[in-house]
Amino acid sequence: MTKILIIYTGGTIGMVNDPSNGMLIPFDFEQIKENVPELSRLDYQLEVHSFNPVLDSSNMDPEIWKTLAELIYSKYDLYDGFVILHGSDTMAFTASALSFMLENLDKAVVLTGSQLPIGEIRTDAKENLITALEIAATKENGKSLFPEVCIYFDAQLFRGNRSIKYNSEKFEAFRSPNYPVLAEAGVHMQFNTNYVMKAPKDKLILHTKFNSNIGVLKLYPGITPQAVTAITDSKVDAIILEAFGSGNTTTAQWFLDALRQAILNGKIIIDISQCKKGSVQLGRYETSRELLKMGIVSGYDLTFESAVTKLMFVLGLGLPLEQSRKLMDESLRGELTKD
């Protein structure tokens, strides 16, 4: 029988109303089949690991990512797939982080959640949970059809490190602006296997060292030298530069000098676009030519969530500076497209 481990970290999906005061409280996920009786119709052996205490996803951090990755690694040979129930606010960060931490993953790790608690009449929780389980269990020739970290939400399956949360009010909370969906759940399940990661031949490798000492510099017209140098002169090890359009910035000399000095001080600067769709193309316009010359790394079509977690991961490897810059320029887990 197919065995799936459900990991409940917290979030709206596991909440029910407390009849005494009307407040939302987490229910006991060990009794999951009582709360979601439809699960009994799935021919799976389900086991649940619940965080204690459960977490609001706003409190997610690299130490919790480490706990999740270590749990999956320790249980890896015991289960056919994994479903992580997670608050939607930082789900894309966690999915991106796990994709880098679990190298050579050949089983599905599917994150899901909901916009309404599982006890609400109109909840999206049951469909998200049931279909996430089906996806985690899906195999072809004895191998998982989705050997990567994914997010399933509102009838669509996304590559985790390509996902963003874009809507806090609709059931369609997530999108993958620069990569096709991996599957769609309608009357029939449609699997877009051409876009799924190829199953690795090597053994699973666990990475748990993250360096979160990074800064974010988001540009806007009229940004001041004080605002820029507060980031570039700080003691961070790397900076995410959220630039305009295809990676463009002001060409003011003071600005370029601040970036150049940060690079000379040993900081990695990665240029990503403020646009949700599209890719950075350093050197295409005059406004980004100097960035390319000084050694700023192109983030191509990385999401902000993926840029953050990838930087933390690469810095955590403790490699020489040039090797770290080279890794940031490459696709490690299908997180970016260079062409």
Side-chain angles (χ1 to χ4, degrees):
M1 182 179 289
T2 299
K3 294 182 65 177
I4 304 294
L5 179 63
I6 300 172
I7 303 171
Y8 175 51
T9 67
T12 302
I13 191 169
M15 297 294 177
V16 292
N17 279 304
D18 184 342
S20 65
N21 55 26
M23 294 181 64
L24 291 174
I25 57 171
F27 72 73
D28 182 3
F29 251 94
E30 294 297 331
Q31 306 300 319
I32 188 170
K33 288 189 176 180
E34 294 179 14
N35 291 278
V36 190
E38 295 89 344
L39 294 178
S40 62
R41 299 175 62 184
L42 298 175
D43 190 24
Y44 310 148
Q45 181 178 335
L46 302 177
E47 295 183 16
V48 179
H49 177 95
S50 183
F51 276 32
N52 186 18
V54 295
L55 299 167
D56 186 297
S57 72
S58 298
N59 290 320
M60 197 60 59
D61 62 30
E63 280 301 309
I64 301 169
W65 295 336
K66 178 181 177 182
T67 299
L68 275 171
E70 288 178 337
L71 176 61
I72 292 169
Y73 186 78
S74 67
K75 304 286 187 180
Y76 195 68
D77 293 333
L78 302 177
Y79 297 93
D80 298 286
F82 302 84
V83 170
I84 300 174
L85 305 182
H86 193 291
S88 60
D89 285 349
T90 60
M91 187 183 294
F93 287 95
T94 297
S96 295
L98 289 176
S99 76
F100 298 117
M101 300 173 88
L102 299 169
E103 184 178 357
N104 298 326
L105 185 68
D106 70 352
K107 298 180 182 180
V109 176
V110 185
L111 286 85
T112 194
S114 65
Q115 296 287 67
L116 286 175
I118 206 163
E120 297 287 332
I121 294 175
R122 295 178 52 251
T123 186
D124 55 330
K126 290 184 179 182
E127 193 278 327
N128 284 349
L129 172 58
I130 290 168
T131 308
L133 288 168
E134 290 183 325
I135 288 168
T138 300
K139 292 183 179 182
E140 186 174 68
N141 299 323
K143 296 288 187 179
S144 173
L145 201 61
F146 298 98
E148 57 178 289
V149 180
C150 311
I151 287 177
Y152 177 79
F153 224 93
D154 192 43
Q156 293 186 306
L157 183 71
F158 309 102
R159 175 167 295 166
N161 57 33
R162 293 285 195 151
S163 306
I164 61 170
K165 182 177 181 182
Y166 91 103
N167 198 310
S168 62
E169 295 182 345
K170 292 186 176 181
F171 290 144
E172 186 192 357
F174 287 86
R175 282 188 177 174
S176 176
N178 290 310
Y179 199 77
V181 297
L182 305 183
E184 295 182 79
V187 175
H188 304 287
M189 292 288 288
Q190 177 182 334
F191 298 142
N192 302 321
T193 54
N194 288 342
Y195 302 118
V196 178
M197 295 282 286
K198 302 300 181 186
K201 296 180 180 178
D202 297 325
K203 191 175 180 180
L204 180 69
I205 299 173
L206 176 66
H207 301 277
T208 59
K209 292 183 179 179
F210 267 37
N211 178 352
S212 58
N213 189 30
I214 64 176
V216 178
L217 177 57
K218 184 166 186 171
L219 297 189
Y220 52 89
I223 194 169
T224 64
Q226 292 85 355
V228 171
T229 55
I231 301 297
T232 58
D233 291 352
S234 67
K235 295 185 182 300
V236 296
D237 296 319
I239 297 169
I240 295 173
L241 176 63
E242 286 196 85
F244 306 123
S246 57
N248 304 313
T249 69
T250 174
T251 56
Q253 195 59 49
W254 65 263
F255 177 78
L256 297 176
D257 288 344
L259 297 183
R260 190 175 290 109
Q261 188 58 53
I263 291 172
L264 290 173
N265 290 339
K267 294 179 174 63
I268 296 174
I269 301 181
I270 181 167
D271 185 331
I272 66 171
S273 177
Q274 294 180 17
C275 302
K276 299 303 182 186
K277 189 171 180 62
S279 182
V280 165
Q281 300 176 47
L282 289 183
R284 181 179 182 185
Y285 297 100
E286 181 184 355
T287 47
S288 67
R289 197 168 298 147
E290 284 300 313
L291 306 181
L292 187 63
K293 286 181 181 178
M294 73 176 69
I296 286 178
V297 180
S298 175
Y300 301 99
D301 56 355
L302 281 175
T303 65
F304 175 72
E305 293 88 340
S306 193
V308 167
T309 53
K310 183 178 182 180
L311 257 184
M312 290 181 180
F313 165 71
V314 169
L315 291 174
L317 294 174
L319 301 171
L321 181 61
E322 282 308 309
Q323 197 169 346
S324 295
R325 286 166 46 84
K326 186 172 184 293
L327 287 179
M328 289 304 303
D329 188 66
E330 297 175 356
S331 177
L332 305 179
R333 309 285 191 270
E335 73 279 3
L336 60 81
T337 305
K338 296 183 70 170
D339 298 330

